[in-house]
Structure formats: structure tokens, C-alpha cells
Amino acid sequence: MRRTALLVSAALLTSLLPLAVARAADDPAPVPVDRFEGEVPFANPPAGGIFTWGGDTDDPPTLALSKRDDAPEGDQVLSGTYDISGYGGFTHDFAFAEPAHDWSAHKGIRLWWEGQDNGRKIALELKDGGANGEASELWTTSFTDDFSGWKQIEIPFTDFVYRTDYQPVGGIDHVLGLTQMWGYALTLPVGAPGRFALDGVELYGKADQSLRASVLTDSAVYPVDEGGTATVKVTVATTGSAPIDEPVTVAYETAGGTASPSDYTALKGEVTFPAGTASGTTRTVRVHTLKDKAAAEAAETVPLKLTVTGAKAPAETPQVVIDAHGLPYLNAKLPVRKRVADLLSRMSLAEKAGQMTQAERGAVGTGADITAEDLGSLLSGGGSTPTPNTAEAWARMIDSFQLRARATRFQIPLIYGVDAVHGHNNLVGATVMPHNIGIGATRDPRLAERTGAVTAAEVRATGVPWDFAPCLCVTRDERWGRSYESFGEDPALVESMETVVQGLQGPRDGRELKDDDKVLATAKHFLGDGGTAYGSSTTGSYTIDQGVTTVTRKQLDAVHLAPYRTAVDRGVGTVMPSYSSLDIVGDGLGPVKMHARADMINGVLKGKLGFDGFVISDWNGIDQIPGDYASDVRTSVNAGVDMVMAPYAYKDFRTALVAEVRAGRVSERRIDDAVSRILTQKFRLGLFEKPYADTSGAPGIGSAGHRAVAREAAAASQVLLRNSGGVLPLRTSQKVYVAGSNADDIGNQSGGWTVTWQGSSGDITPGTTILEAMRKNSAALTYSQDASAPTAGHDVGVVVVGETPYAEGVGDVGNGHDLELSAADRAAVDKVCAAMRCAVLIVSGRPQLVGGRLGDIDALVASWLPGTEGDGVADVLYGRRPFTGRLPVTWPRSEAQLPINVGDPTYDPQFPYGWGLTTRTAVPEGGPATLAALATAAGAAERAGAGDRGRALVDKARLIVQRKADGRITAAFAAPFADAEHLLLTGRYAEAVRKLAQAYRAI
């Protein structure tokens, strides 16, 4: 039966339904939504029906219509099972082609639920307004399964709140209008297998004004200078935006709070909204504060108590806050160390613990807990964005959270952090840079710094002062799902790219951190996350991420610690420990989680290296330490973690930390050290003077100037691995045949950590795909993704293949991923390259195995993950810029070779570390004599400290050697060739040329 017909026949159906609760005589008849008798099919949008969803392939529940003798209504119920690790549930969407439903006449929604008495919460979500069920506002509430057997759950519409952690299309009007409803969804519990049964979803009761009318205030917090006046706007609003039927009165009174009677003029009164008042009408109440004799005071609060008749009262009592004033820490002219010492001396243990706590924005809702828990920090996890996901909405959201911090005693501003790992990648419309693996391929420290500067400017313009980047991991195994977050396999390469720290922060002394285009940087993940052994991970289905790095102390210092030494020297503001474990051969400790390694965090990072910033844990990182939660807290904090990212367990962390200090298991000195480090960075960022977003740089977000930097980086990141017969560069006059899965997909070419944590395929953010960029350069171009279009009549083919997005351990090889091209991509390569001269571009976060196809491919390009600026790829394809990129990691012949890295005793790759052909018009000529002369000149440059000249001489020698190799890469050639690249990066130019000469002789 169609749902429109079903709702029309509500009265008839109601006579068939058992009534668990007697209804009032004037209540409308219950309106069935789902009876699960087969009237609603299992179907996906845009068709109407019930469908499942989840965070990964294992998370969607199973669903079935089951005959049950005990069914509360009819003969069947909707039943299912689930075992959810991420998130999962099911939805009933009404068909897109049908009118939305009007539920505004009813009090709420109810359903029959078969209780399992497991104490777990089930979230119920409504879809309100918008174009259809998948483009609507989401409103949510929950009920608890704390009973056995069937029970009818009644939920009034007034219990639903607007979802702050996720909205599919952005805010529409932030009002549960009920006049355009598109369906509902249930989110099932996470973490343990379960089963459920559901029946008889229906609308019940009569909507009365006290349920559909609300009184709102324009803010929850009103800061004013001492002696100033706070203006509180009181508004009446209704669901459906209809005028109110009956009068609404709001009595107001100043009462309680921390301010004394001499701090403000007592206020008491009433405002009335008469019947017929339009929804959205506002009245104003003014609270006057007074100057007292105290020259210096902490902030004081004056609650404005509101008593509402005829409507729902505000969720919170608005607070007028008399700003702190006259205290030394507020004096911007004092040195930061003195300001920190003064503020720290005034804080309670609970306030200090709050500063050490970081919560997820989606967990704090409108932010009341920021005040209640004295929170020091919030973050947006990957994909955790405001709605709509615009720069303006980001700034408004963060300002609203900062406003909550103004209601605390010392008004310590929040420090808000995001994972802007290749541009402000959570923000739709931001400039998305190549991932770090591509930046490493550029070998251009100045360009790396410029990409960091663009990222910082776009991030700070949305009110965010802190970036969880750069990742300084040294990737040693391409099976790792985070390979693309690394600049490369050589610590010397990673160190050379750390100019990005200055791009983000400015000079080492931090004097520019307060500027509107700089952010605090984070060196992550300390220590050894790129060296975890395949098969060592114990996190879910991960195979390598978050596993164990086993090294000698010498290997640890030379490979994994070296980039952090450089980062500390560059003044990086924060450091994030790794999820992984470190097993140092011979220390007798075995594998120890990095969040627990005091010898590394306190001893090496803060002690030996002299790091003076603060250490922030990774997402729930302390939870992986063996032991109970109290043990996790004291172990991590005593190990040197200063702030703990406890996204949804922030209350538990703060409570546990206070308890551990009071029990003497964490010293107050350790707490003071941690809080001093955090406050220092907040003062350096200028947050005490300017806590709110400075959006003056917002017009630059996604601007032509910023995209030009990303375009240059994309071009410089392209590595030409093979170019038989000079297929590249292309000529604009050629007839070009383009195929492959990644030719026209902005999501695929941007990779993970783009808009959402895992990223996704498709048109997810503004940008230019490789295909779109090629069309601008080609007089005649045919595109056929699967190469099904006729191939005849074309001069050259370009097949763009590679990976789809992933992030972290989700992308580990063996966890649903491998290093092989997909069957469709292999077929496209085979067909196009058999029909014409061809170039194959591999868009991926790590090398892909080409195998026996290499001989059939005329030109091969490692395109990495170039970001949103596909024009940069076209620039090198069509010769507007020469190919100059070099491999940041070794390209293996087979997966059996992994791990394979420069300096290995056995080294026989498909392409060695540092390999990269060029399309410069003049490639140097020469042989052994030329190389000998270059070595001599390089030695002189080295002795003179002429780095630019030394590097240019090595580059010339490399091009000579690559020309002779012409694809004949053997183990005897590859090892010295790769060694030369490492020597170049460590400033040993003469030895680098000599190694290249050795490679030359091996050909």
C-alpha cells in the first residue's frame, strides 16, 4: 500500500490497533507509520522503503519481517541482529516522488520495542524539512533498553534535539517544523552483538501549545565589562512557525550566581506574548552591572532565571558574566611566563584538570559542559563539521564554544584543533593540497613551506588556531594504511620537508602565532609509527597500523627520532604520541604503548631534545594502555602526556585525573607542568586577547592564489617513472583517449582525510579533476572510464588508475586492501595500451604493483594523491611544466619484497628511491669523465657550504645516469642510485655523485 493512501486510511487502521494507553476524547486517532505487515518494502532511496547502513561492511544490521504470535500489532514484526564496531542502523525513508508528511497535529511518535534489558541506548532520529529524506534536517533522541519483553515507547516531539555532530546537507532552519517529514531512523548500540524486534510505529496524541511552542534566548552566556549592561533577547517560536494560540508569559529574575548583590542591579519582571503572536517575536530584558571597589577580580556570574507559562522554557538559564579584570595574567604587556605563573597560582585542581581535557565538538552539544567541566580544548575529528559546512559556520560554531569559556572563573579560552593534514581538508571548498607523500616527491622545501602557509591561513580564518599536522612518520612498509601521510621512507627526506612547520607557525620563536594566518603545529606520531611490523597490530582488523615497532636504539635514533629532533629545533608547538607500541631491542621492556613510554616522552622528547610545548594524546589513545581507566590516566599523564584527547569520555577523564592527584598517584607538580605548557601556547596564540574567530582571511579560502600554490605542488609531485619513445609531454593537437577509474573523480584524487575521515569517491568538494584539466589542454579528447568506447583514430591514450580513499588502519593491506590495480583498471590499461601508445597515471597513496604490464606501458607516472588541483597534473602532461618529481619511497616489484627501503642489504626494486625522469628540454650529456668532474665540483661545493650548487651538481649527475639506464634497473644499479639520494639529502654531495657513478657502471 502506498504511504499516502496508508495515512489517509488512518482512522480505519486505528480501529484494528490495540491501545496500550487510553487517549483523551479530543486526541486525534493514532496515525500508523509502519506496521511491518509488508506494506513498506525493503528499498533504497529514492524509492520509499526500509534500508540499512553502517560505518563499514560489517556494521549494517540484518533485517527481516518475522511472523510472531506475540506481535503487538498484526502478525509480523521487524526483527534483526547486529554486531557494530563503528556505527549502524536502519532507516525508513518516504519515497522522494511523494509529498512529505505533516505530523504537526500530533504530540509525538511511539513504537513497540522488544526489550533485552541490556541497559543500552537506542537512538531515534527524525528527518524534517528539506528536499527529501536524504536532504533533510536530522533531529534525535534516545531511549534505554532496560526492560524485558514488549513495551510501547512514547516519545514526545519536544524530546528531539537538533543533531550537532552530523547533518547531511547543512542546517535548513534549525526548527523541528513537523510539517514536512521524510521518515525516521534508528541507530543501534555499538560494541557487542545483539538482536532486536520492533513493531507498530505510529503518531499519537494531540499537539498542544505547551509542547509545540518554546521560549528561547539569543545566547546562553552574556559577557559584559564591569559596569556594563547585558541585553537578553527572549523569543517565542513554534514548530511549524504558526502563531501561538494562547498567551505565553515569561517571568524573569536575577538570582544566585557567583556575583554579589553589589555587582548588579537586581531585576524582576514579566513579559507577555499575547495569543496570535507570530513565531519568532522577540522581547528584550536588560541586566545592569555595577562597578565595585575591587581593582582586580575573577569573572562573576548573574543567572537570569526564566519562568515560562504556556510554552517550553529554555533548556538553560542564561548567564550574565561580569568579565575578569585587573588580574596580572590579563595584562598582555607582561612576559608570557609571568602571565602563566599568575594564572596557574589562582587555579583549582579541577580547573587545571579541565585544561588538560580535550572533548569532541559533537559530544558537547551546544557547549554547556565547556563551562561545567572547565574544558581547555575541543577538536573536530575527521568529518566532524558544523552545518552547513562553510567557513562562516565554522567561525560561528567555534565562537559559540569560546563564548561558553567566558562563563568560567578565569575565562581561559579554548584551543580548538583539527586534522588539517593536506589543507583545511574538513571544510568543503578549502584548498586541498597533495598528501605528504606527494609533497615529499617534490623535493622542494620552499614549496612545502608555502603549502603549510596556505593551510594555516585557511584554517585560522575559520577560527581554528591549532592543526594536528604535520605527520613526521618515516614510512617503512607500503602496506601501512597511513603511508601517504608520510613524506617518505628516508628520515633525511622527512627532515627536509619540515619547513612546513614554519609555514604553519611562522618563525621558531612563535612571534607570529597570534597572527590571523598562523596556527600551532603538531609533530606526530611520536615515536616510530611508520615502522610497525606487518601482522603486529591488535586493533580490530588492522594488520600494521597501531602495531609494534621493533628496533635497536641506534635504528630508533637514526630513522624515527631524527625528524622530531628537527621539529623541536623548528619550535613545533605540540607533539602527539603514536597509537603504536615501541619495542627497543635489549631494554627488557618488550612492546610498550607510546602513550605510556615515560622514557621517550619525558626522558627523550622533553628532556634530551628540550621540547617546551605540550604533548596531546591521540583519539582515545590512552585507552589502549593495559589496565583499568584510572591506571590509563595516571600512566599516560606521568609519562608526560599533557592534554588527553578523550572525545566522548571527557568527564570520565577529568574525574579520574582529579582522583589520581588526590590519591597521590599523580603529583601536583606534574599537573602544574602540563597546565603551564598548555597555557603558554594559548598566550602565544593570542587567544586571551582575541578568543573569537578573525575571519578577515576567509575570502582567501579556496582562492585562486591559494589554489595556484596547490596546483604548483601537484605538478611538482608527479614522478615520471617511464617515458619510452617520449610519449610525454602530450601535444595539444593530439587526439587523446582517456580512461580509468581515477580520471574524473575529485574524491579519489584527494584521498582520505578529505571532508570526512576516510574520504570518499565522487564530487565531494570543489576542484578540478585530471580529466577536466586535460580537456582544457586538448583539441580532441575522448573519455571512456571503462575503455568501452571505440579506440580507433586516437594518437595517444592516457589511463588514470589507482586507489579509492581510505585512512589509517582501514587502509592496511590485508584489511580489505592490496597493492594491485582493480580488475576494471587492469582491463582499461590492457585495452588502451594494446590499441595505441599510452601513458598510465597511478593516483594512489602508495606504490601499486605494475608487474608484467610495464612492458606494454609507454609512459608511467606516479601521481600520488594530488588534491583538488588537477590542473597541476595536466601542466606536466602537456609540458607547461617539466616533470621534476622523484620517488619518496621505493617502488617494489612485488608485495613479497616488502618492506623494502633505501639502504637495505638486499635491494632490487622496480624503481629505486629517488628515481624520477624529467621532460626538461635539455637533459645533460656525459659519461664517466663528466661524472668524475661533477664529483670534484660537488666536493668543493660541500666544503664551501654551497648547498644549492651542490644539489644542482648531484641533480645533473642523476639525470646523466637515468638517461643511460633507460629502464634497465637491476639490483646492482638500484642500490647505489638510492644511496645517492640519501647522501644528497644529508649534504654529502661528492659521495652522492660517486654513488651515481657506481650505478652508471652497473648498467
Side-chain angles (χ1 to χ4, degrees), residues 17 249 268 277 368 411 462 502 584 627 638 647 675 781 920 949:
L17 302 178
T249 60
K268 187 173 184 178
T277 298
Q411 300 183 307
T462 60
Q502 265 55 66
I584 301 177
N638 285 334
V675 178
L781 185 149
R920 287 194 180 110
R949 174 153 177 75

PDB file of all heavy atoms in Angstrom, residues 17 249 268 277 368 411 462 502 584 627 638 647 675 781 920 949:
ATOM      1  N   LEU A  17      -6.031  -1.471  15.893  1.00  0.00           N
ATOM      2  CA  LEU A  17      -4.826  -1.465  16.721  1.00  0.00           C
ATOM      3  C   LEU A  17      -5.184  -1.517  18.197  1.00  0.00           C
ATOM      4  O   LEU A  17      -6.078  -0.829  18.658  1.00  0.00           O
ATOM      5  CB  LEU A  17      -4.016  -0.189  16.464  1.00  0.00           C
ATOM      6  CG  LEU A  17      -3.585   0.042  15.007  1.00  0.00           C
ATOM      7  CD1 LEU A  17      -2.848   1.363  14.906  1.00  0.00           C
ATOM      8  CD2 LEU A  17      -2.718  -1.097  14.543  1.00  0.00           C
ATOM      9  N   THR A 249       3.652  33.727  28.879  1.00  0.00           N
ATOM     10  CA  THR A 249       4.271  34.697  29.781  1.00  0.00           C
ATOM     11  C   THR A 249       5.646  34.196  30.213  1.00  0.00           C
ATOM     12  O   THR A 249       5.853  32.988  30.391  1.00  0.00           O
ATOM     13  CB  THR A 249       3.408  34.939  31.031  1.00  0.00           C
ATOM     14  OG1 THR A 249       3.244  33.701  31.736  1.00  0.00           O
ATOM     15  CG2 THR A 249       2.045  35.486  30.655  1.00  0.00           C
ATOM     16  N   LYS A 268      13.547  42.073  38.376  1.00  0.00           N
ATOM     17  CA  LYS A 268      12.429  41.142  38.447  1.00  0.00           C
ATOM     18  C   LYS A 268      11.297  41.710  37.610  1.00  0.00           C
ATOM     19  O   LYS A 268      10.996  42.903  37.683  1.00  0.00           O
ATOM     20  CB  LYS A 268      11.976  40.945  39.890  1.00  0.00           C
ATOM     21  CG  LYS A 268      10.929  39.858  40.079  1.00  0.00           C
ATOM     22  CD  LYS A 268      10.658  39.617  41.561  1.00  0.00           C
ATOM     23  CE  LYS A 268       9.690  38.469  41.756  1.00  0.00           C
ATOM     24  NZ  LYS A 268       9.449  38.203  43.217  1.00  0.00           N
ATOM     25  N   THR A 277       0.441  35.980  18.584  1.00  0.00           N
ATOM     26  CA  THR A 277       1.793  36.492  18.331  1.00  0.00           C
ATOM     27  C   THR A 277       2.508  35.586  17.332  1.00  0.00           C
ATOM     28  O   THR A 277       2.460  34.360  17.437  1.00  0.00           O
ATOM     29  CB  THR A 277       2.598  36.553  19.643  1.00  0.00           C
ATOM     30  OG1 THR A 277       1.948  37.472  20.534  1.00  0.00           O
ATOM     31  CG2 THR A 277       4.027  37.021  19.381  1.00  0.00           C
ATOM     32  N   ALA A 368      27.400  23.470  26.958  1.00  0.00           N
ATOM     33  CA  ALA A 368      27.263  23.751  28.390  1.00  0.00           C
ATOM     34  C   ALA A 368      28.373  23.105  29.207  1.00  0.00           C
ATOM     35  O   ALA A 368      28.828  23.665  30.217  1.00  0.00           O
ATOM     36  CB  ALA A 368      25.891  23.279  28.887  1.00  0.00           C
ATOM     37  N   GLN A 411      38.003  32.642  32.626  1.00  0.00           N
ATOM     38  CA  GLN A 411      37.736  32.895  31.210  1.00  0.00           C
ATOM     39  C   GLN A 411      38.906  32.461  30.326  1.00  0.00           C
ATOM     40  O   GLN A 411      39.288  33.138  29.379  1.00  0.00           O
ATOM     41  CB  GLN A 411      37.395  34.372  30.995  1.00  0.00           C
ATOM     42  CG  GLN A 411      36.156  34.805  31.780  1.00  0.00           C
ATOM     43  CD  GLN A 411      35.769  36.241  31.533  1.00  0.00           C
ATOM     44  OE1 GLN A 411      36.584  37.144  31.673  1.00  0.00           O
ATOM     45  NE2 GLN A 411      34.514  36.474  31.159  1.00  0.00           N
ATOM     46  N   THR A 462      38.875  30.295   9.845  1.00  0.00           N
ATOM     47  CA  THR A 462      37.613  29.722  10.336  1.00  0.00           C
ATOM     48  C   THR A 462      37.568  29.670  11.859  1.00  0.00           C
ATOM     49  O   THR A 462      36.659  29.056  12.423  1.00  0.00           O
ATOM     50  CB  THR A 462      37.404  28.303   9.773  1.00  0.00           C
ATOM     51  OG1 THR A 462      38.489  27.465  10.179  1.00  0.00           O
ATOM     52  CG2 THR A 462      37.327  28.322   8.263  1.00  0.00           C
ATOM     53  N   GLN A 502      57.296  25.836   9.661  1.00  0.00           N
ATOM     54  CA  GLN A 502      57.354  27.292   9.584  1.00  0.00           C
ATOM     55  C   GLN A 502      56.201  27.841   8.756  1.00  0.00           C
ATOM     56  O   GLN A 502      55.704  28.933   9.044  1.00  0.00           O
ATOM     57  CB  GLN A 502      58.697  27.734   9.004  1.00  0.00           C
ATOM     58  CG  GLN A 502      59.751  28.089  10.065  1.00  0.00           C
ATOM     59  CD  GLN A 502      60.013  26.973  11.064  1.00  0.00           C
ATOM     60  OE1 GLN A 502      60.531  25.930  10.685  1.00  0.00           O
ATOM     61  NE2 GLN A 502      59.662  27.167  12.314  1.00  0.00           N
ATOM     62  N   ILE A 584      62.178  -1.743  22.068  1.00  0.00           N
ATOM     63  CA  ILE A 584      63.598  -1.462  21.853  1.00  0.00           C
ATOM     64  C   ILE A 584      64.386  -2.708  22.224  1.00  0.00           C
ATOM     65  O   ILE A 584      64.336  -3.181  23.376  1.00  0.00           O
ATOM     66  CB  ILE A 584      64.063  -0.261  22.688  1.00  0.00           C
ATOM     67  CG1 ILE A 584      63.255   0.983  22.314  1.00  0.00           C
ATOM     68  CG2 ILE A 584      65.558  -0.007  22.474  1.00  0.00           C
ATOM     69  CD1 ILE A 584      63.584   2.212  23.138  1.00  0.00           C
ATOM     70  N   GLY A 627      45.414  -2.116  31.522  1.00  0.00           N
ATOM     71  CA  GLY A 627      44.976  -1.722  32.853  1.00  0.00           C
ATOM     72  C   GLY A 627      43.618  -1.066  32.828  1.00  0.00           C
ATOM     73  O   GLY A 627      43.023  -0.865  31.758  1.00  0.00           O
ATOM     74  N   ASN A 638      51.668  10.659  33.856  1.00  0.00           N
ATOM     75  CA  ASN A 638      53.009  10.552  34.440  1.00  0.00           C
ATOM     76  C   ASN A 638      54.076  10.317  33.381  1.00  0.00           C
ATOM     77  O   ASN A 638      55.248  10.658  33.582  1.00  0.00           O
ATOM     78  CB  ASN A 638      53.047   9.428  35.480  1.00  0.00           C
ATOM     79  CG  ASN A 638      52.369   9.809  36.777  1.00  0.00           C
ATOM     80  OD1 ASN A 638      52.290  10.990  37.121  1.00  0.00           O
ATOM     81  ND2 ASN A 638      51.858   8.827  37.511  1.00  0.00           N
ATOM     82  N   PRO A 647      37.514  12.142  23.477  1.00  0.00           N
ATOM     83  CA  PRO A 647      36.447  12.809  22.724  1.00  0.00           C
ATOM     84  C   PRO A 647      35.076  12.742  23.364  1.00  0.00           C
ATOM     85  O   PRO A 647      34.395  13.753  23.494  1.00  0.00           O
ATOM     86  CB  PRO A 647      36.481  12.086  21.377  1.00  0.00           C
ATOM     87  CG  PRO A 647      37.874  11.588  21.259  1.00  0.00           C
ATOM     88  CD  PRO A 647      38.299  11.220  22.642  1.00  0.00           C
ATOM     89  N   VAL A 675      49.814  21.984  32.715  1.00  0.00           N
ATOM     90  CA  VAL A 675      48.944  23.136  32.503  1.00  0.00           C
ATOM     91  C   VAL A 675      49.767  24.359  32.097  1.00  0.00           C
ATOM     92  O   VAL A 675      49.338  25.158  31.253  1.00  0.00           O
ATOM     93  CB  VAL A 675      48.097  23.416  33.753  1.00  0.00           C
ATOM     94  CG1 VAL A 675      47.227  24.651  33.568  1.00  0.00           C
ATOM     95  CG2 VAL A 675      47.208  22.209  34.070  1.00  0.00           C
ATOM     96  N   LEU A 781      39.491  15.137 -27.456  1.00  0.00           N
ATOM     97  CA  LEU A 781      39.638  14.198 -26.343  1.00  0.00           C
ATOM     98  C   LEU A 781      38.394  13.337 -26.230  1.00  0.00           C
ATOM     99  O   LEU A 781      37.267  13.843 -26.250  1.00  0.00           O
ATOM    100  CB  LEU A 781      39.884  14.959 -25.038  1.00  0.00           C
ATOM    101  CG  LEU A 781      40.166  14.149 -23.779  1.00  0.00           C
ATOM    102  CD1 LEU A 781      41.091  14.924 -22.822  1.00  0.00           C
ATOM    103  CD2 LEU A 781      38.874  13.790 -23.041  1.00  0.00           C
ATOM    104  N   ARG A 920      62.485  17.987 -19.102  1.00  0.00           N
ATOM    105  CA  ARG A 920      63.209  19.208 -19.452  1.00  0.00           C
ATOM    106  C   ARG A 920      63.738  19.079 -20.884  1.00  0.00           C
ATOM    107  O   ARG A 920      64.114  18.000 -21.331  1.00  0.00           O
ATOM    108  CB  ARG A 920      64.398  19.422 -18.506  1.00  0.00           C
ATOM    109  CG  ARG A 920      64.016  19.874 -17.094  1.00  0.00           C
ATOM    110  CD  ARG A 920      65.250  20.375 -16.375  1.00  0.00           C
ATOM    111  NE  ARG A 920      64.920  20.804 -15.019  1.00  0.00           N
ATOM    112  CZ  ARG A 920      65.299  20.168 -13.926  1.00  0.00           C
ATOM    113  NH1 ARG A 920      66.018  19.055 -14.032  1.00  0.00           N
ATOM    114  NH2 ARG A 920      64.977  20.618 -12.732  1.00  0.00           N
ATOM    115  N   ARG A 949      74.339  24.863  -4.960  1.00  0.00           N
ATOM    116  CA  ARG A 949      75.222  24.404  -6.041  1.00  0.00           C
ATOM    117  C   ARG A 949      75.478  22.910  -5.910  1.00  0.00           C
ATOM    118  O   ARG A 949      75.460  22.182  -6.912  1.00  0.00           O
ATOM    119  CB  ARG A 949      76.542  25.178  -6.024  1.00  0.00           C
ATOM    120  CG  ARG A 949      77.550  24.632  -7.025  1.00  0.00           C
ATOM    121  CD  ARG A 949      78.525  25.668  -7.502  1.00  0.00           C
ATOM    122  NE  ARG A 949      79.518  25.093  -8.405  1.00  0.00           N
ATOM    123  CZ  ARG A 949      79.291  24.754  -9.668  1.00  0.00           C
ATOM    124  NH1 ARG A 949      78.087  24.944 -10.201  1.00  0.00           N
ATOM    125  NH2 ARG A 949      80.247  24.240 -10.426  1.00  0.00           N
TER     126      ARG A 949
END
